[in-house]
Structure formats: C-alpha cells, structure tokens
C-alpha cells in the first residue's frame, strides 16, 4: 500500500528531523519507511538539492498553486539543485511507482492536474539561469526560469553592452518560460517572432525513464515539444533565440467603457484591427471585462487597451475610433517594453499573479473575429453572474488581440501547436473562493455557457482551446487540433517516448 496519508508522512518527517536535529530544508531528510522513504534518493542528490515534507513551512509555501481547483496532491517535494537531481528523482519515483510532476510558476490550472495523486513535486526553481551565447543570437535558459527573469536578465546584459536584447516570453511576469512555451506560449513579441515555442533551438530533457537527452529539430520529438511538450519530459534547459530590440519605446492607451458600449467597441475592433487582418505588427489590442466599483458599482466595465511599439504615445489613428464611442475614461502612458506587464495588470505584484487560495478555472476559445451579437449575449450573462457582491464577482473575461504576423508566418504543420490561424485568444476566468462541489459545478456551468455563446457565434465547426488556459474537459481535438494526422502523430510519439504515461497530468494525450 504506497498511498501513505499526509499525516503519516508528516509524522515520519518530524521523526527524521528530531532524530538528527536538523531542519528538513537544509538537511534533506524525510520519511524513513515505505515508498516515500527518501533516504535512498537523498544519497544520490547533489548538496544543493532540497527535500520538503508535509507539515513544514517550506512544504506549505512550495506547494501553493495559483488555482486551488483540482490541484495535484503532493506528498513530498524535491527541489533539484542540478539536472542530475531531476533525473535521479524521476528514476526514484519510477522505482517506487510514485507519480511525479514538475512545478515551475505553479500557474497551470487545467483540472487534469488533479489526477496527480500522492506524488512527488519536482520544484524547478533552483534551475533558474540565463546564459547569453557569445554571438548574441541565443540564450540557454534553465528549466525553472520565470518569464520576468528572462526579460530582466537580457535587458540588464544589454544595458552593459549598449545593445538591448529580448526574446518572446509570456506577457505575464509570474509564469515560467517553459510552462507556457511547451504549449505554444503567447507574448507581446509574437507579432515579430512567433510563439515562445517558435524560439526554441534545442532542449535538455529528462525523459520518462529518468534518462537525460538533448534534442533539436533533427529529433522526431521536436515537433511535439512545441505545443504538446508537457506530455513528454521535464525540460531542464532550453536554448532559445534572442533578438536585438527594434524599438525601445512602447506606449499604451487604456480606455474604460460601460457595458452599454459592447457592440460599438467590438465592432470597432473588428473594423480597425481584425477584418482583413489590418492590425499592424507593432500594435496589440486587449480587453478585460471586470468589476470596477468606482467606474460602475452594478455592472462589469470594459477595460480596453491599445498598445503600440516604437512610439511615446499610441498613434491616434488606432485610438480615435474608440474615443469616438465615448469611453468613461481614457489614459495614455509611455515607457518601455519592461513596463507592459504593469500597465496591463499582470506584473508579479498585480492581483492576477497572486496565489490567494482562489479557484481559477478558465474556458478558452480561439476566434478570428468578434461576433458582436455573441459579445452582447456573453456580456449580459457574465454581468448577471459576476455582478456586485456575487460569488463570482472577482471573475474576469479576457480578450487578447496580440499581433499575429510572426505566429502566422510559420508553417502550421511544423509544430504540435495547431491554431496559428486564429487572431484572438479569449477566455472567461471564473474566480471564486472554493466552498463545495456544487459551487465548482456552478462555476463550470457558467464558464461553459459563456464559451458556448462565443463558439456558436464563431460559426466554426470545431472549438479550439489554448491548452495553457484550458479548463480540463476539452477533447484532444480541441486541445491539439482537429486534423487526424496531428492526433495520430501525437499518439505515436506518446507511445514511443512516454508509453506508461508518466507525463499525463497536463492536458494529457493519453
Ligand atoms: C496570471 C497568468 C498569466 C498568464 N499569462 C500567460 C501569457 O502571457 N502567455 C501564455 O501563453 N500563457 C499565459 N498564462 C497561462 C500559462 O501558460 C499557464 O498557466 C502555464 O501552465 C503556466 O506555467 P507555470 O510554469 O507558471 O505553471 P506550472 O503549473 O508550474 O507548470 C505548468 C505545466 O507545465 C509543466 N512544466 C513546467 N515547467 C516545466 C519544465 N521545465 N519541463 C516540463 N514541464 C514543465 C508542469 O509540470 C505543469 O504541468 C498565464 C496564466 C496566468 C495564471
């Protein structure tokens, strides 16, 4: 019986600590018996590795996730200090028949993660590094590096040489590079260079059996790592393309509208950005529907951003159509690339980044255009469910209109990421304080209804869902593409590289 309860493990940890008189986090001691007896693993780990057991402050802190809905159940945490530590931990878990899961930014929220039952968390944080190649064209990024660390390190290095550098990361600062990147990865620079995954040049991976390998475009696995990568291994480092920045300046205009302007705002977005794909590569439009009690105590407002690269203020040609609609307020700010996350409320200190004990399911859908009638229907439902002091009042409906030229310029068949032709990444995020399964069901019903409205409005046969935002009940076709060849290829690769399904917790292929 290998499913020891948390209580038993805690007791064993406590025994181990008192027996040696050391803290678990520095002494790397843990349970002494059963499959979780970590002594055998400890002998193989580097001095930099850490093991955290339940009942310790370190364990509590290192197991907190952004969404508490259907969380993985963790019994022991290993914090590798080296790549070999990752490999040894995987081998150890396999020997003991224990499930394991890499933790990085811990912002993954797909409910399939909940299938990790009494397993080993492999916390990647010590494998955080950014090494810029001498030719300045690539950087080797450790498997546990956060988005912000990548951007800040490149930026700082550039300041010293006088040549500022960037790469595509997630727009949000609090996610890792690889969590988003293995599923595609959207970010501010994708209009120029494509998705995060499109930047990858090679990868160091710990495979399902604990062996280490380095792959690049010559490997049959390469295609799958760019869109379905969570299913195949733990990436301990990735070499990724970097670029000299084209423009130092960026600017944003934030327009706030009442809900009465839904049709006008999204018609204008269609007319000026989406119909005929006229959104320029250096312009991004985003919007949120959320409650802002100052602006309107009764109904969510529309926060509409127009962002432009290479200017000190957004060109009025892009903002005038929205000013003409009559916003409640408008604010223009200028700065640099590194200000974008703060401007759009997704910096490390912003509320959406925090791990606050909330359930955070999302229900994503990729779209080409806004269907204005569907936007109205969705707004009315969202407003009635999220209004005032209701259970779902912290919810946010997100509409991400990144520029797409870089993404769409890459052969769609060249990656497991399947949805390059879409223009918009849209998702209701139903945020609430968890209570019971009835509430979870109500939240899921609301999210599904909102997505269904937009899906019906899209006129498409198939629903396309970004795996990194997905709820967890989507089909394989909805996650990885409707084409039979894609599904066959993924299944064949899964059989070859992970036949026992060790990496089958995050939007699993099998
Ligand atoms: C506030 C917020 C902002 C977001 N912003 C963006 C954005 O700008 N762009 C975007 O595309 N997505 C974004 N997302 C979605 C994001 O891509 C997913 O939430 C992603 O899972 C987060 O990765 P993580 O490392 O933070 O989470 P984790 O939960 O730690 O990781 C997610 C999954 O990836 C696996 N994993 C992590 N690291 C590795 C590795 N080194 N090797 C193998 N597997 C690994 C984990 O095992 C897990 O299954 C955002 C999400 C949130 C909550």
């Amino acid at each position: 019986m290998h499913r020891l309860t948390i209580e038993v493990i805690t007791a064993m940890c406590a025994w181990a600590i008192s027996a040696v008189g050391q803290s678990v986090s520095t002494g790397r001691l843990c349970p002494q018996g059963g499959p979780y007896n970590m002594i055998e693993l400890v002998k193989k780990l580097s001095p930099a590795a850490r093991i955290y057991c339940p009942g310790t402050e370190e364990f509590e802190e290192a197991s907190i996730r952004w969404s508490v809905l259907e969380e993985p159940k963790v019994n022991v945490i290993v914090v590798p200090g080296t790549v070999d530590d990752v490999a040894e931990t995987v081998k150890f878990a396999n020997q003991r028949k224990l499930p394991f899961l890499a933790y990085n930014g811990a912002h993954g929220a797909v409910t399939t993660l909940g299938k990790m039952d009494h397993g080993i968390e492999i916390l990647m944080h010590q494998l955080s590094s950014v090494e810029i190649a001498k030719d300045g064209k690539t950087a080797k990024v450790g498997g546990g590096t956060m988005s912000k660390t990548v951007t800040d390190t490149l930026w700082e290095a550039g300041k010293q040489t006088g040549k500022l550098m960037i790469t595509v990361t997630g727009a949000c600062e609090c996610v890792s590079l690889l969590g988003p990147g293995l599923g595609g990865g959207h970010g501010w620079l994708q209009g120029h260079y494509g998705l995060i995954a499109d930047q990858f040049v090679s990868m160091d991976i710990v495979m399902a059996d604990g062996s280490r390998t380095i792959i690049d475009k010559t490997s049959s696995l390469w295609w799958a790592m760019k869109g379905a990568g969570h299913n195949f291994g733990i990436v301990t480092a990735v070499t990724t393309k970097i670029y000299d920045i084209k423009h130092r300046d960026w600017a944003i205009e934030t327009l706030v509208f009442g809900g009465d302007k839904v049709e006008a705002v999204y018609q204008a977005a269609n007319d000026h950005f989406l119909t005929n794909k006229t959104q320029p590569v250096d312009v991004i439009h985003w919007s949120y529907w959320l409650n802002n009690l100052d602006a309107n105590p009764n109904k969510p407002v529309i926060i509409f951003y127009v962002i432009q690269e290479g200017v000190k203020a957004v060109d009025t040609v892009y903002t005038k159509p929205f000013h003409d609609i009559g916003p409640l307020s408008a604010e223009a700010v200028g700065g640099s690339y590194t200000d974008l996350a703060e401007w759009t409320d997704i910096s490390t200190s912003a509320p959406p980044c925090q791990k606050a004990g909330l359930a955070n399911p999302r229900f994503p859908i990729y779209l080409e255009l806004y269907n204005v009638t569907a936007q109205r229907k969705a707004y009315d439902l969202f407003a009635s469910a999220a209004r005032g002091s209701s259970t779902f009042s912290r919810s946010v409906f997100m509409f991400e209109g990144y520029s797409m030229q870089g993404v769409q310029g890459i052969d769609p068949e060249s990656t497991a990421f399947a949805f390059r032709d879409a223009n918009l990444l849209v998702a209701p995020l139903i945020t609430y304080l968890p209570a019971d399964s009835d509430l979870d069901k109500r939240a899921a019903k609301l999210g599904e209804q909102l997505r269904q409205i937009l899906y019906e409005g899209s006129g498409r046969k198939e629903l396309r869902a970004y795996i990194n935002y997905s709820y967890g009940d989507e089909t394989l076709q909805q996650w990885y593409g409707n084409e039979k060849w894609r599904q066959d290829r993924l299944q064949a690769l899964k059989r070859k590289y992970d036949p026992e399904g060790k990496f089958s917790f995050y939007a699993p292929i099998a």
Side-chain angles (χ1 to χ4, degrees), residues 2 14 55 86 123 185 224 320 371 378 387 434 448:
H2 70 262
V86 178
L123 180 61
K320 183 171 181 309
N371 176 322
R387 68 153 46 101
E448 298 286 10

Side-chain angles (χ1 to χ4, degrees), residues 229-240:
H230 313 93
N231 270 275
F232 291 97
I234 299 181
V235 180
T236 53
V238 62
T239 298
T240 186

